[in-house]
């Protein structure tokens, strides 16, 4: 069984990005600059944004964090987005989700200039990805394609079963896997909460992408011998023995599934670390005006 080590791969990619930033700077180019807007004090969001800012430092990017109070109005936030759209020094920016309930996230995402939308959430980028045009692919799907690519996982002609149809993982992943890219050309089945006979379908899969957010959902009896499993789940489950009182648990029952797999991503240390690196890759693209 091959362990698809996202942590190790993320470190390698960061080193490659840092080297490219050095070269950019040495040849008089611009230092890539990522901005992040964080509204309120959601625990998970504070951690994620913290990782994003720290990763920028590690690769030599500039970063700007706009931490706004959760009492701000939607109008105020849209004004901040407009300022970042117009700020020539900012190459790309993100608005961390979730937003407070009184702010409509769709309206905010739509207000972001698609050329600076390094999260790849704007409909223009989603549409371009669907058409196979150059665009920002959102972080988790991009991270998964990098894992498949770097570990030479063959996708062409394979049956890929995606469990979950979210806008930020399942749906884009199914589009990328069935497209004509390097990690595409698979026959894709998208399964979701209304799917019947799920086990019958997953048993036919050469590649399973589990992205439904239910810890331990994918059990050993649902996986064919030799399948590749990409576990996107990162649910915090209570664990009194853990430092924080919780630990991350994936969508696959690792103990049951891993002995059957030819390759699997662990949780933590699989897809998770690759998402931040993907944001850096998109920001580098933005700085080089490649989208
Ligand atoms: N919240 C959880 N994941 C993400 C992400 O990838 N981008 C943003 N902006 N918010 C998130």
């Amino acid at each position: 069984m091959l362990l698809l080590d996202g942590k190790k791969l993320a470190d390698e990619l960061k080193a490659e990005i840092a080297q490219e930033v050095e070269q950019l700077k040495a040849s008089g180019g611009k230092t890539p600059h990522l901005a992040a807007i964080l509204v309120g004090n959601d625990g998970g969001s504070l951690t994620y944004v913290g990782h994003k800012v720290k990763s920028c430092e590690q690769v030599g990017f500039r970063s700007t964090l706009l931490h706004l109070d959760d009492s701000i109005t939607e109008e105020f936030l849209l004004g901040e987005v407009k300022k970042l759209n117009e700020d020539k020094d900012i190459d790309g920016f993100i608005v961390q989700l979730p937003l407070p309930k009184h702010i409509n996230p769709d309206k905010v995402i739509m207000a972001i200039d698609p050329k600076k939308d390094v999260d790849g959430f704007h409909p223009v980028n989603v549409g371009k990805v669907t058409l196979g045009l150059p665009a920002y692919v959102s972080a988790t799907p991009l991270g998964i394609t990098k894992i498949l690519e770097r570990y030479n996982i063959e996708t062409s002609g394979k049956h890929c079963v995606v469990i979950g149809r979210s806008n930020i993982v399942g749906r884009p992943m199914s589009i990328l896997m069935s497209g004509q890219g390097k990690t595409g050309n698979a026959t894709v089945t998208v399964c979701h909460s209304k799917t019947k006979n799920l086990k019958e379908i997953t048993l036919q899969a050469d590649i399973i992408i589990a992205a439904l957010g239910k810890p331990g959902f994918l059990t050993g009896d649902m996986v064919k011998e030799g399948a590749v499993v990409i576990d996107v789940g990162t649910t915090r489950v209570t664990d009194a023995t853990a430092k924080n009182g919780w630990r991350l648990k994936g969508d696959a029952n690792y103990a049951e599934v891993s002995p059957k797999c030819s390759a699997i991503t662990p949780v933590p240390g699989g897809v998770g670390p690759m998402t931040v690196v993907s944001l850096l890759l998109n920001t580098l693209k933005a700085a080089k005006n490649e989208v």
Side-chain angles (χ1 to χ4, degrees):
M1 189 270 294
L2 173 66
L3 190 75
L4 304 171
D5 189 339
K7 172 77 177 70
K8 180 162 157 268
L9 183 52
D11 288 343
E12 282 169 21
L13 285 168
K14 275 191 203 164
E16 290 173 24
I17 296 168
Q19 206 172 18
E20 201 170 335
V21 173
E22 278 300 314
Q23 282 162 3
L24 262 177
K25 288 183 192 171
S27 56
K30 182 181 175 307
T31 302
H33 189 173
L34 173 73
I37 300 182
L38 172 62
V39 185
N41 291 299
D42 173 77
S45 293
L46 282 166
T47 309
Y48 292 138
V49 172
H51 283 152
K52 290 170 187 178
V53 168
K54 188 166 155 237
S55 300
C56 282
E57 282 165 21
Q58 287 172 340
V59 298
F61 286 5
R62 286 185 62 202
S63 67
T64 297
L65 172 61
L66 252 89
H67 193 173
L68 306 173
D69 196 88
D70 60 6
S71 64
I72 59 154
T73 62
E74 185 177 275
E75 196 184 358
F76 182 83
L77 180 56
L78 291 171
E80 294 302 306
V81 167
K82 186 163 182 282
K83 277 192 222 161
L84 291 178
N85 281 341
E86 289 165 0
D87 186 338
K88 294 224 163 12
D89 197 60
I90 302 287
D91 297 296
F93 66 98
I94 62 158
V95 180
Q96 187 67 25
L97 303 176
L99 288 168
K101 288 206 166 40
H102 64 281
I103 300 179
N104 179 348
D106 292 336
K107 214 164 158 186
V108 175
I109 289 167
M110 299 269 234
I112 299 173
D113 178 349
K115 284 197 174 311
K116 292 192 174 188
D117 168 41
V118 284
D119 253 337
F121 289 171
H122 191 285
V124 165
N125 283 311
V126 177
K128 284 184 174 175
V129 168
T130 306
L131 296 171
L133 297 170
Y136 297 115
V137 175
S138 57
T140 305
L142 182 60
I144 295 171
T145 62
K146 293 288 168 198
I147 292 175
L148 295 172
E149 200 179 306
R150 293 286 179 118
Y151 277 98
N152 290 313
I153 306 284
E154 181 62 81
T155 58
S156 181
K158 302 292 181 187
H159 183 197
C160 173
V161 172
V162 180
I163 314 176
R165 54 178 163 182
S166 71
N167 286 343
I168 59 173
V169 187
R171 181 76 57 207
M173 212 50 234
S174 68
I175 289 163
L176 292 167
M177 298 294 293
S178 60
Q180 290 184 345
K182 249 187 284 183
T183 51
N185 297 306
T187 304
V188 178
T189 304
V190 183
C191 299
H192 44 76
S193 53
K194 302 285 188 294
T195 297
K196 294 201 171 103
N197 307 324
L198 180 66
K199 183 174 154 186
E200 245 171 60
I201 301 168
T202 57
L203 276 171
Q204 293 170 38
D206 302 306
I207 302 170
I208 299 177
I209 299 180
L212 72 162
K214 285 194 180 169
F217 178 86
L218 187 75
T219 46
D221 59 330
M222 296 169 78
V223 179
K224 179 172 82 174
E225 203 67 47
V228 173
V229 170
I230 305 291
D231 188 347
V232 189
T234 49
T235 308
R236 287 181 180 187
V237 296
T238 334
D239 181 349
T241 64
K243 199 172 51 183
N244 314 316
W246 56 266
R247 65 189 169 85
L248 288 181
K249 196 153 188 282
D251 285 348
N253 179 327
Y254 191 84
E256 284 181 24
V257 170
S258 59
K260 298 186 91 175
C261 291
S262 60
I264 186 167
T265 58
V267 177
V271 175
M274 293 299 295
T275 60
V276 177
V277 164
S278 302
L279 181 65
L280 299 177
L281 287 170
N282 279 345
T283 306
L284 187 59
K285 259 188 175 184
K288 295 196 295 184
N289 284 317
E290 284 178 356
V291 173

